PDB file of all heavy atoms in Angstrom:
ATOM      1  N   CYS R 395      12.412  -5.662  17.996  1.00  0.00           N
ATOM      2  CA  CYS R 395      13.115  -4.655  18.768  1.00  0.00           C
ATOM      3  C   CYS R 395      12.728  -4.657  20.221  1.00  0.00           C
ATOM      4  O   CYS R 395      13.478  -4.455  21.128  1.00  0.00           O
ATOM      5  CB  CYS R 395      12.712  -3.192  18.247  1.00  0.00           C
ATOM      6  SG  CYS R 395      13.660  -2.840  16.686  1.00  0.00           S
ATOM      7  N   GLN R 396      11.422  -5.101  20.487  1.00  0.00           N
ATOM      8  CA  GLN R 396      11.012  -5.193  21.849  1.00  0.00           C
ATOM      9  C   GLN R 396      11.773  -6.278  22.584  1.00  0.00           C
ATOM     10  O   GLN R 396      12.093  -6.188  23.815  1.00  0.00           O
ATOM     11  CB  GLN R 396       9.540  -5.692  21.823  1.00  0.00           C
ATOM     12  CG  GLN R 396       8.656  -4.465  21.758  1.00  0.00           C
ATOM     13  CD  GLN R 396       7.111  -4.866  21.962  1.00  0.00           C
ATOM     14  OE1 GLN R 396       6.850  -6.046  22.046  1.00  0.00           O
ATOM     15  NE2 GLN R 396       6.303  -3.841  21.741  1.00  0.00           N
ATOM     16  N   GLN R 397      12.194  -7.326  21.939  1.00  0.00           N
ATOM     17  CA  GLN R 397      12.985  -8.302  22.400  1.00  0.00           C
ATOM     18  C   GLN R 397      14.510  -7.964  22.687  1.00  0.00           C
ATOM     19  O   GLN R 397      15.062  -8.197  23.668  1.00  0.00           O
ATOM     20  CB  GLN R 397      13.049  -9.545  21.484  1.00  0.00           C
ATOM     21  CG  GLN R 397      12.169 -10.670  21.795  1.00  0.00           C
ATOM     22  CD  GLN R 397      12.523 -11.769  20.875  1.00  0.00           C
ATOM     23  OE1 GLN R 397      13.558 -12.450  21.030  1.00  0.00           O
ATOM     24  NE2 GLN R 397      11.624 -12.162  19.928  1.00  0.00           N
ATOM     25  N   THR R 398      15.006  -7.285  21.651  1.00  0.00           N
ATOM     26  CA  THR R 398      16.512  -7.006  21.703  1.00  0.00           C
ATOM     27  C   THR R 398      16.828  -5.579  22.263  1.00  0.00           C
ATOM     28  O   THR R 398      17.980  -5.261  22.487  1.00  0.00           O
ATOM     29  CB  THR R 398      17.062  -6.944  20.246  1.00  0.00           C
ATOM     30  OG1 THR R 398      16.350  -6.013  19.421  1.00  0.00           O
ATOM     31  CG2 THR R 398      16.910  -8.371  19.611  1.00  0.00           C
ATOM     32  N   GLY R 399      15.689  -4.785  22.385  1.00  0.00           N
ATOM     33  CA  GLY R 399      16.063  -3.481  23.069  1.00  0.00           C
ATOM     34  C   GLY R 399      16.426  -2.389  22.027  1.00  0.00           C
ATOM     35  O   GLY R 399      16.851  -1.278  22.496  1.00  0.00           O
ATOM     36  N   CYS R 400      16.392  -2.663  20.758  1.00  0.00           N
ATOM     37  CA  CYS R 400      16.690  -1.584  19.757  1.00  0.00           C
ATOM     38  C   CYS R 400      15.543  -0.669  19.740  1.00  0.00           C
ATOM     39  O   CYS R 400      14.400  -1.073  19.557  1.00  0.00           O
ATOM     40  CB  CYS R 400      16.926  -2.204  18.435  1.00  0.00           C
ATOM     41  SG  CYS R 400      16.877  -1.220  16.999  1.00  0.00           S
ATOM     42  N   ASP R 401      15.863   0.687  19.904  1.00  0.00           N
ATOM     43  CA  ASP R 401      14.714   1.607  19.861  1.00  0.00           C
ATOM     44  C   ASP R 401      14.780   2.529  18.738  1.00  0.00           C
ATOM     45  O   ASP R 401      14.154   3.633  18.699  1.00  0.00           O
ATOM     46  CB  ASP R 401      14.507   2.336  21.260  1.00  0.00           C
ATOM     47  CG  ASP R 401      15.783   2.954  21.651  1.00  0.00           C
ATOM     48  OD1 ASP R 401      16.748   2.986  20.894  1.00  0.00           O
ATOM     49  OD2 ASP R 401      15.933   3.294  22.828  1.00  0.00           O
ATOM     50  N   ASN R 402      15.540   2.155  17.601  1.00  0.00           N
ATOM     51  CA  ASN R 402      15.526   3.033  16.470  1.00  0.00           C
ATOM     52  C   ASN R 402      14.207   2.840  15.658  1.00  0.00           C
ATOM     53  O   ASN R 402      13.869   1.681  15.489  1.00  0.00           O
ATOM     54  CB  ASN R 402      16.682   2.688  15.546  1.00  0.00           C
ATOM     55  CG  ASN R 402      18.075   2.998  16.280  1.00  0.00           C
ATOM     56  OD1 ASN R 402      17.981   3.904  17.102  1.00  0.00           O
ATOM     57  ND2 ASN R 402      19.086   2.355  15.914  1.00  0.00           N
ATOM     58  N   PRO R 403      13.637   3.818  15.166  1.00  0.00           N
ATOM     59  CA  PRO R 403      12.303   3.701  14.454  1.00  0.00           C
ATOM     60  C   PRO R 403      12.467   3.222  13.003  1.00  0.00           C
ATOM     61  O   PRO R 403      13.596   3.315  12.447  1.00  0.00           O
ATOM     62  CB  PRO R 403      11.695   5.070  14.490  1.00  0.00           C
ATOM     63  CG  PRO R 403      12.924   5.990  14.540  1.00  0.00           C
ATOM     64  CD  PRO R 403      14.064   5.260  15.231  1.00  0.00           C
ATOM     65  N   CYS R 404      11.440   2.701  12.419  1.00  0.00           N
ATOM     66  CA  CYS R 404      11.379   2.357  11.049  1.00  0.00           C
ATOM     67  C   CYS R 404      11.478   3.531  10.218  1.00  0.00           C
ATOM     68  O   CYS R 404      10.843   4.525  10.359  1.00  0.00           O
ATOM     69  CB  CYS R 404       9.995   1.609  10.843  1.00  0.00           C
ATOM     70  SG  CYS R 404       9.620   1.397   9.054  1.00  0.00           S
ATOM     71  N   ILE R 405      12.487   3.434   9.195  1.00  0.00           N
ATOM     72  CA  ILE R 405      12.597   4.635   8.202  1.00  0.00           C
ATOM     73  C   ILE R 405      12.455   4.146   6.720  1.00  0.00           C
ATOM     74  O   ILE R 405      13.027   4.772   5.928  1.00  0.00           O
ATOM     75  CB  ILE R 405      13.968   5.294   8.506  1.00  0.00           C
ATOM     76  CG1 ILE R 405      15.220   4.320   8.432  1.00  0.00           C
ATOM     77  CG2 ILE R 405      13.947   6.130   9.865  1.00  0.00           C
ATOM     78  CD1 ILE R 405      16.493   5.035   8.312  1.00  0.00           C
ATOM     79  N   THR R 406      11.788   3.066   6.506  1.00  0.00           N
ATOM     80  CA  THR R 406      11.699   2.584   5.181  1.00  0.00           C
ATOM     81  C   THR R 406      10.693   3.378   4.281  1.00  0.00           C
ATOM     82  O   THR R 406      10.826   3.291   3.076  1.00  0.00           O
ATOM     83  CB  THR R 406      11.197   1.133   5.133  1.00  0.00           C
ATOM     84  OG1 THR R 406      10.111   0.962   5.887  1.00  0.00           O
ATOM     85  CG2 THR R 406      12.319   0.209   5.598  1.00  0.00           C
ATOM     86  N   GLU R 407       9.838   4.236   4.878  1.00  0.00           N
ATOM     87  CA  GLU R 407       8.842   4.888   4.013  1.00  0.00           C
ATOM     88  C   GLU R 407       9.389   5.744   2.891  1.00  0.00           C
ATOM     89  O   GLU R 407       8.924   5.755   1.838  1.00  0.00           O
ATOM     90  CB  GLU R 407       7.833   5.649   4.875  1.00  0.00           C
ATOM     91  CG  GLU R 407       6.750   6.216   4.035  1.00  0.00           C
ATOM     92  CD  GLU R 407       5.567   6.779   4.841  1.00  0.00           C
ATOM     93  OE1 GLU R 407       5.647   6.841   6.010  1.00  0.00           O
ATOM     94  OE2 GLU R 407       4.588   7.211   4.203  1.00  0.00           O
ATOM     95  N   GLU R 408      10.481   6.464   3.326  1.00  0.00           N
ATOM     96  CA  GLU R 408      11.109   7.288   2.338  1.00  0.00           C
ATOM     97  C   GLU R 408      12.381   6.752   1.693  1.00  0.00           C
ATOM     98  O   GLU R 408      13.206   7.430   1.085  1.00  0.00           O
ATOM     99  CB  GLU R 408      11.508   8.660   3.027  1.00  0.00           C
ATOM    100  CG  GLU R 408      10.405   9.332   3.757  1.00  0.00           C
ATOM    101  CD  GLU R 408       9.508  10.152   2.801  1.00  0.00           C
ATOM    102  OE1 GLU R 408      10.155  10.613   1.845  1.00  0.00           O
ATOM    103  OE2 GLU R 408       8.357  10.345   3.004  1.00  0.00           O
ATOM    104  N   HIS R 409      12.546   5.403   1.789  1.00  0.00           N
ATOM    105  CA  HIS R 409      13.834   4.844   1.248  1.00  0.00           C
ATOM    106  C   HIS R 409      13.675   4.280  -0.112  1.00  0.00           C
ATOM    107  O   HIS R 409      12.995   3.275  -0.353  1.00  0.00           O
ATOM    108  CB  HIS R 409      14.298   3.654   2.242  1.00  0.00           C
ATOM    109  CG  HIS R 409      15.685   3.267   1.895  1.00  0.00           C
ATOM    110  ND1 HIS R 409      16.713   3.893   2.524  1.00  0.00           N
ATOM    111  CD2 HIS R 409      16.218   2.302   1.147  1.00  0.00           C
ATOM    112  CE1 HIS R 409      17.902   3.257   2.153  1.00  0.00           C
ATOM    113  NE2 HIS R 409      17.574   2.372   1.321  1.00  0.00           N
ATOM    114  N   TYR R 410      14.242   5.031  -1.036  1.00  0.00           N
ATOM    115  CA  TYR R 410      14.183   4.616  -2.463  1.00  0.00           C
ATOM    116  C   TYR R 410      15.039   3.428  -2.755  1.00  0.00           C
ATOM    117  O   TYR R 410      16.128   3.274  -2.203  1.00  0.00           O
ATOM    118  CB  TYR R 410      14.537   5.835  -3.428  1.00  0.00           C
ATOM    119  CG  TYR R 410      13.514   6.888  -3.326  1.00  0.00           C
ATOM    120  CD1 TYR R 410      12.861   7.304  -2.266  1.00  0.00           C
ATOM    121  CD2 TYR R 410      13.183   7.600  -4.600  1.00  0.00           C
ATOM    122  CE1 TYR R 410      11.868   8.306  -2.271  1.00  0.00           C
ATOM    123  CE2 TYR R 410      12.237   8.586  -4.615  1.00  0.00           C
ATOM    124  CZ  TYR R 410      11.556   8.943  -3.532  1.00  0.00           C
ATOM    125  OH  TYR R 410      10.603   9.914  -3.565  1.00  0.00           O
ATOM    126  N   LEU R 411      14.522   2.544  -3.596  1.00  0.00           N
ATOM    127  CA  LEU R 411      15.238   1.300  -3.916  1.00  0.00           C
ATOM    128  C   LEU R 411      16.340   1.497  -4.960  1.00  0.00           C
ATOM    129  O   LEU R 411      16.200   2.444  -5.770  1.00  0.00           O
ATOM    130  CB  LEU R 411      14.257   0.232  -4.260  1.00  0.00           C
ATOM    131  CG  LEU R 411      13.208  -0.044  -3.154  1.00  0.00           C
ATOM    132  CD1 LEU R 411      12.410  -1.335  -3.594  1.00  0.00           C
ATOM    133  CD2 LEU R 411      13.855  -0.294  -1.839  1.00  0.00           C
ATOM    134  N   PRO R 412      17.266   0.642  -5.005  1.00  0.00           N
ATOM    135  CA  PRO R 412      18.317   0.762  -5.997  1.00  0.00           C
ATOM    136  C   PRO R 412      17.842   0.866  -7.456  1.00  0.00           C
ATOM    137  O   PRO R 412      16.915   0.105  -7.791  1.00  0.00           O
ATOM    138  CB  PRO R 412      19.134  -0.511  -5.902  1.00  0.00           C
ATOM    139  CG  PRO R 412      18.913  -0.934  -4.475  1.00  0.00           C
ATOM    140  CD  PRO R 412      17.550  -0.566  -4.131  1.00  0.00           C
ATOM    141  N   GLY R 413      18.290   1.830  -8.235  1.00  0.00           N
ATOM    142  CA  GLY R 413      17.718   2.012  -9.566  1.00  0.00           C
ATOM    143  C   GLY R 413      16.698   3.136  -9.623  1.00  0.00           C
ATOM    144  O   GLY R 413      16.398   3.559 -10.770  1.00  0.00           O
ATOM    145  N   ALA R 414      16.173   3.484  -8.471  1.00  0.00           N
ATOM    146  CA  ALA R 414      15.107   4.514  -8.480  1.00  0.00           C
ATOM    147  C   ALA R 414      15.675   5.933  -8.619  1.00  0.00           C
ATOM    148  O   ALA R 414      15.200   6.754  -9.322  1.00  0.00           O
ATOM    149  CB  ALA R 414      14.289   4.411  -7.175  1.00  0.00           C
ATOM    150  N   VAL R 415      16.829   6.189  -7.828  1.00  0.00           N
ATOM    151  CA  VAL R 415      17.330   7.529  -7.873  1.00  0.00           C
ATOM    152  C   VAL R 415      18.060   7.638  -9.196  1.00  0.00           C
ATOM    153  O   VAL R 415      18.797   6.877  -9.671  1.00  0.00           O
ATOM    154  CB  VAL R 415      18.429   7.664  -6.712  1.00  0.00           C
ATOM    155  CG1 VAL R 415      19.022   9.096  -6.781  1.00  0.00           C
ATOM    156  CG2 VAL R 415      17.651   7.483  -5.330  1.00  0.00           C
ATOM    157  N   GLY R 416      17.695   8.802  -9.916  1.00  0.00           N
ATOM    158  CA  GLY R 416      18.269   9.050 -11.172  1.00  0.00           C
ATOM    159  C   GLY R 416      17.494   8.457 -12.363  1.00  0.00           C
ATOM    160  O   GLY R 416      17.820   8.591 -13.513  1.00  0.00           O
ATOM    161  N   TRP R 417      16.433   7.748 -11.981  1.00  0.00           N
ATOM    162  CA  TRP R 417      15.596   7.137 -13.104  1.00  0.00           C
ATOM    163  C   TRP R 417      14.466   8.314 -13.465  1.00  0.00           C
ATOM    164  O   TRP R 417      13.990   9.054 -12.663  1.00  0.00           O
ATOM    165  CB  TRP R 417      14.859   5.943 -12.571  1.00  0.00           C
ATOM    166  CG  TRP R 417      13.947   5.372 -13.667  1.00  0.00           C
ATOM    167  CD1 TRP R 417      14.200   4.401 -14.611  1.00  0.00           C
ATOM    168  CD2 TRP R 417      12.565   5.572 -13.772  1.00  0.00           C
ATOM    169  NE1 TRP R 417      13.238   4.083 -15.401  1.00  0.00           N
ATOM    170  CE2 TRP R 417      12.129   4.874 -14.959  1.00  0.00           C
ATOM    171  CE3 TRP R 417      11.611   6.375 -13.172  1.00  0.00           C
ATOM    172  CZ2 TRP R 417      10.784   4.835 -15.410  1.00  0.00           C
ATOM    173  CZ3 TRP R 417      10.316   6.453 -13.665  1.00  0.00           C
ATOM    174  CH2 TRP R 417       9.887   5.694 -14.817  1.00  0.00           C
ATOM    175  N   SER R 418      14.250   8.256 -14.879  1.00  0.00           N
ATOM    176  CA  SER R 418      13.234   9.042 -15.237  1.00  0.00           C
ATOM    177  C   SER R 418      12.500   8.356 -16.497  1.00  0.00           C
ATOM    178  O   SER R 418      13.084   7.478 -17.053  1.00  0.00           O
ATOM    179  CB  SER R 418      13.559  10.505 -15.672  1.00  0.00           C
ATOM    180  OG  SER R 418      13.993  10.445 -16.978  1.00  0.00           O
ATOM    181  N   ALA R 419      11.351   8.782 -16.828  1.00  0.00           N
ATOM    182  CA  ALA R 419      10.657   8.125 -17.952  1.00  0.00           C
ATOM    183  C   ALA R 419      11.266   8.318 -19.249  1.00  0.00           C
ATOM    184  O   ALA R 419      11.047   7.622 -20.226  1.00  0.00           O
ATOM    185  CB  ALA R 419       9.173   8.654 -17.980  1.00  0.00           C
ATOM    186  N   ASP R 420      12.342   9.313 -19.275  1.00  0.00           N
ATOM    187  CA  ASP R 420      13.088   9.453 -20.501  1.00  0.00           C
ATOM    188  C   ASP R 420      14.272   8.544 -20.630  1.00  0.00           C
ATOM    189  O   ASP R 420      14.910   8.507 -21.718  1.00  0.00           O
ATOM    190  CB  ASP R 420      13.664  10.936 -20.489  1.00  0.00           C
ATOM    191  CG  ASP R 420      12.704  11.977 -20.424  1.00  0.00           C
ATOM    192  OD1 ASP R 420      11.478  11.706 -20.941  1.00  0.00           O
ATOM    193  OD2 ASP R 420      12.951  13.070 -19.850  1.00  0.00           O
ATOM    194  N   LEU R 421      14.496   7.674 -19.640  1.00  0.00           N
ATOM    195  CA  LEU R 421      15.736   6.868 -19.661  1.00  0.00           C
ATOM    196  C   LEU R 421      15.716   5.882 -20.926  1.00  0.00           C
ATOM    197  O   LEU R 421      16.770   5.819 -21.491  1.00  0.00           O
ATOM    198  CB  LEU R 421      15.771   6.039 -18.401  1.00  0.00           C
ATOM    199  CG  LEU R 421      17.033   5.157 -18.257  1.00  0.00           C
ATOM    200  CD1 LEU R 421      18.291   6.071 -18.259  1.00  0.00           C
ATOM    201  CD2 LEU R 421      17.008   4.344 -16.970  1.00  0.00           C
ATOM    202  N   PRO R 422      14.677   5.273 -21.340  1.00  0.00           N
ATOM    203  CA  PRO R 422      14.777   4.425 -22.510  1.00  0.00           C
ATOM    204  C   PRO R 422      15.339   5.170 -23.701  1.00  0.00           C
ATOM    205  O   PRO R 422      16.218   4.598 -24.394  1.00  0.00           O
ATOM    206  CB  PRO R 422      13.277   3.919 -22.707  1.00  0.00           C
ATOM    207  CG  PRO R 422      12.617   4.036 -21.410  1.00  0.00           C
ATOM    208  CD  PRO R 422      13.296   5.219 -20.750  1.00  0.00           C
ATOM    209  N   GLU R 423      14.819   6.323 -23.954  1.00  0.00           N
ATOM    210  CA  GLU R 423      15.270   7.093 -25.094  1.00  0.00           C
ATOM    211  C   GLU R 423      16.787   7.388 -24.945  1.00  0.00           C
ATOM    212  O   GLU R 423      17.555   7.289 -25.890  1.00  0.00           O
ATOM    213  CB  GLU R 423      14.517   8.344 -25.267  1.00  0.00           C
ATOM    214  CG  GLU R 423      14.427   9.033 -26.625  1.00  0.00           C
ATOM    215  CD  GLU R 423      14.160   8.095 -27.777  1.00  0.00           C
ATOM    216  OE1 GLU R 423      13.133   7.432 -27.797  1.00  0.00           O
ATOM    217  OE2 GLU R 423      14.968   8.039 -28.703  1.00  0.00           O
ATOM    218  N   GLU R 424      17.253   7.694 -23.751  1.00  0.00           N
ATOM    219  CA  GLU R 424      18.668   8.068 -23.540  1.00  0.00           C
ATOM    220  C   GLU R 424      19.471   6.773 -23.685  1.00  0.00           C
ATOM    221  O   GLU R 424      20.542   6.849 -24.317  1.00  0.00           O
ATOM    222  CB  GLU R 424      18.763   8.611 -22.022  1.00  0.00           C
ATOM    223  CG  GLU R 424      18.209   9.927 -21.806  1.00  0.00           C
ATOM    224  CD  GLU R 424      18.155  10.235 -20.303  1.00  0.00           C
ATOM    225  OE1 GLU R 424      18.813   9.576 -19.412  1.00  0.00           O
ATOM    226  OE2 GLU R 424      17.373  11.137 -19.918  1.00  0.00           O
ATOM    227  N   LEU R 425      19.022   5.704 -23.295  1.00  0.00           N
ATOM    228  CA  LEU R 425      19.823   4.455 -23.391  1.00  0.00           C
ATOM    229  C   LEU R 425      19.971   4.054 -24.792  1.00  0.00           C
ATOM    230  O   LEU R 425      20.994   3.582 -25.267  1.00  0.00           O
ATOM    231  CB  LEU R 425      19.073   3.307 -22.653  1.00  0.00           C
ATOM    232  CG  LEU R 425      19.101   3.363 -21.170  1.00  0.00           C
ATOM    233  CD1 LEU R 425      18.208   2.234 -20.495  1.00  0.00           C
ATOM    234  CD2 LEU R 425      20.449   3.278 -20.487  1.00  0.00           C
ATOM    235  N   LYS R 426      18.968   4.269 -25.515  1.00  0.00           N
ATOM    236  CA  LYS R 426      18.950   3.995 -27.020  1.00  0.00           C
ATOM    237  C   LYS R 426      20.007   4.734 -27.757  1.00  0.00           C
ATOM    238  O   LYS R 426      20.763   4.248 -28.424  1.00  0.00           O
ATOM    239  CB  LYS R 426      17.520   4.286 -27.625  1.00  0.00           C
ATOM    240  CG  LYS R 426      17.305   3.978 -29.049  1.00  0.00           C
ATOM    241  CD  LYS R 426      15.854   4.147 -29.374  1.00  0.00           C
ATOM    242  CE  LYS R 426      15.725   4.117 -30.897  1.00  0.00           C
ATOM    243  NZ  LYS R 426      15.608   5.371 -31.574  1.00  0.00           N
TER     244      LYS R 426
END
Side-chain angles (χ1 to χ4, degrees):
C395 284
Q396 276 184 3
Q397 259 190 69
T398 59
C400 163
D401 50 15
N402 295 334
C404 169
I405 54 165
T406 49
E407 186 169 2
E408 302 280 328
H409 195 83
Y410 285 41
L411 300 188
V415 176
W417 179 86
S418 84
D420 299 331
L421 185 61
E423 201 50 55
E424 291 168 16
L425 292 172
K426 183 171 169 261

